Amino acid sequence: MSKTISAVSAAEANDALVVVPCEGIFSLRDTLRSGQLFHWEELSLNGLDGFAGCIGDAPPSFVAQRENGEVVTLARDRERVGRYFGLDHRLGEIHATFPAGDPVLAAAMAYCPGLRIARQPVWECLATFITSSLKQVAHIRSISMTLRRRYGTAHAFSGRTFYAYPEPAALAAAGEDELRQCSLGYRGKSLHLAATAIASGGLDLRAIEDESSLERAREGLMQLHGVGEKIAHCTLLFSAGRWEAFPIDVWMERVLREHYRKRVKGAKLQRWAVKHFGPNAGYAQQYLFHFARKTL
DNA sequence: AGTCAGGCAACGC
DNA sequence: GCGTTGCCTGAC
């Protein structure tokens, strides 16, 4: 079972809430609900409603947004939170690369203008999306929590317990059968193989992250059993800052078919999307995806 | 009760 | 290349 290795009292936390610098507009709620992060839990601290969760293997962070838009967190997490939620992204410059005169994208952006693409730790992003195959958001979330509780490091925080995502070695040691029992089914095999490959050094995630060519990074990830186009693109977009990566799932297929009249699929659809949406196609994808899921 | 989900691999052509 | 099928599980 996990061992608790840190504890921060609520009082201690309250004293240290500070504002996180943010470049432009941000919506914490939209960002957390846009299907890229699955483990943040609602938490009220000192009368302020926000969210708590682990960023990588650091002790839990508390994040909240005041009515005036200010993002606040513990002093110790100021930089970590800003970086994790992409508060330094220059949205104006990103949006300027989007196609002019695209009313669908414009509507999606108007729906969730403060949505940002987070910078997740690569392993936890990859692993989470391996477990997401053919699953609904609520279930992805539940699997993430189960894996964290069983194999992650526990941290006491504000009277509750939060868990870091388990390291590759922890999941490798758990074994395939045990992982399957975390409601994973056939995904247990993929997760275990990925954890083993990374824990043993057979696959170097850092090298893939640093790979200059998106194509080669994508191929590197796709060597893993259970990682195809969609999961590779999600990992590159949500954890490696590769905003040109454009994951196409059933929701994006639906949007592109119904609003853009695209009837092609697979690689052809992929090529069209990158050409149409430009160098930050993945960022555009995130607005469209969130918009589609909430309104279509 | 059957169908369907935020995919992928293996196989057939 | 392109289309089809099986796969675990939970929600409806």
Side-chain angles (χ1 to χ4, degrees):
Chain A
M1 217 34 192
S2 309
K3 199 176 81 172
T4 300
I5 65 161
S6 77
V8 176
S9 73
E12 188 185 338
N14 287 346
D15 292 341
L17 285 178
V18 297
V19 173
V20 187
C22 182
E23 173 80 30
I25 186 172
F26 174 61
S27 166
L28 179 60
R29 192 161 290 273
D30 281 335
T31 300
L32 288 177
R33 285 182 176 173
S34 67
Q36 39 176 333
L37 300 165
F38 301 94
H39 68 287
W40 289 82
E41 303 175 54
E42 292 190 6
L43 179 75
S44 193
L45 207 59
N46 200 18
L48 190 57
D49 291 336
F51 299 86
C54 289
I55 296 178
D57 46 18
S61 302
F62 171 78
V63 188
Q65 192 160 30
R66 298 191 198 279
E67 297 214 357
N68 64 9
E70 275 180 352
V71 181
V72 298
T73 189
L74 302 183
R76 66 170 192 204
D77 291 326
R78 194 163 172 260
E79 282 196 33
R80 198 193 324 278
V81 161
R83 177 169 170 76
Y84 182 78
F85 287 105
L87 302 189
D88 56 321
H89 296 171
R90 297 174 172 276
L91 291 187
E93 293 175 11
I94 294 166
H95 296 171
T97 67
F98 291 167
D102 180 333
V104 181
L105 181 54
M109 291 170 66
Y111 176 76
C112 47
L115 176 55
R116 285 173 187 249
I117 289 181
R119 279 191 196 95
Q120 296 183 54
V122 180
W123 160 245
E124 92 178 51
C125 181
L126 171 64
T128 302
F129 280 98
I130 285 175
T131 64
S132 78
S133 150
L134 212 53
K135 289 272 180 207
Q136 301 185 37
V137 171
H139 202 190
I140 300 169
R141 179 182 171 83
S142 137
I143 289 170
S144 167
M145 295 316 240
T146 301
L147 290 171
R148 285 168 186 273
R149 267 196 304 276
R150 292 194 188 170
Y151 305 110
T153 301
H155 299 269
F157 178 67
S158 188
R160 281 159 57 177
T161 308
F162 297 85
Y163 300 84
Y165 200 86
E167 293 295 321
L171 296 185
E176 179 183 336
D177 290 342
E178 220 179 283
L179 292 183
R180 288 179 81 98
Q181 286 159 27
C182 302
S183 301
L184 279 175
Y186 63 88
R187 302 161 196 80
K189 179 181 179 183
S190 308
L191 183 61
H192 184 247
L193 284 171
T196 305
I198 289 153
S200 71
L203 188 79
D204 184 355
L205 282 185
R206 178 62 69 82
I208 288 174
E209 199 179 351
D210 292 342
E211 175 57 66
S212 60
S213 147
L214 179 71
E215 190 63 14
R216 281 199 296 273
R218 190 185 63 97
E219 283 168 4
L221 289 172
M222 284 176 62
Q223 286 173 10
L224 292 169
H225 182 270
V227 178
E229 291 283 350
K230 195 267 180 183
I231 293 174
H233 276 101
C234 282
T235 304
L236 291 169
L237 178 61
F238 298 139
S239 69
R242 308 302 286 258
W243 298 337
E244 69 270 45
F246 194 93
I248 299 179
D249 58 3
V250 298
W251 284 102
M252 284 310 296
E253 233 174 66
R254 207 169 292 169
V255 177
L256 297 178
R257 187 175 61 240
E258 294 182 12
H259 289 305
Y260 291 85
R261 307 274 166 221
K262 300 310 290 182
R263 321 211 87 205
V264 294
K265 293 177 126 189
K268 266 186 190 162
L269 187 55
Q270 184 86 42
R271 282 193 292 274
W272 175 84
V274 171
K275 193 173 169 190
H276 177 75
F277 293 108
N280 296 308
Y283 229 108
Q285 175 271 163
Q286 198 61 12
Y287 295 111
L288 289 167
F289 174 80
H290 189 56
F291 179 60
R293 267 191 71 226
K294 299 297 176 185
T295 63
L296 218 63

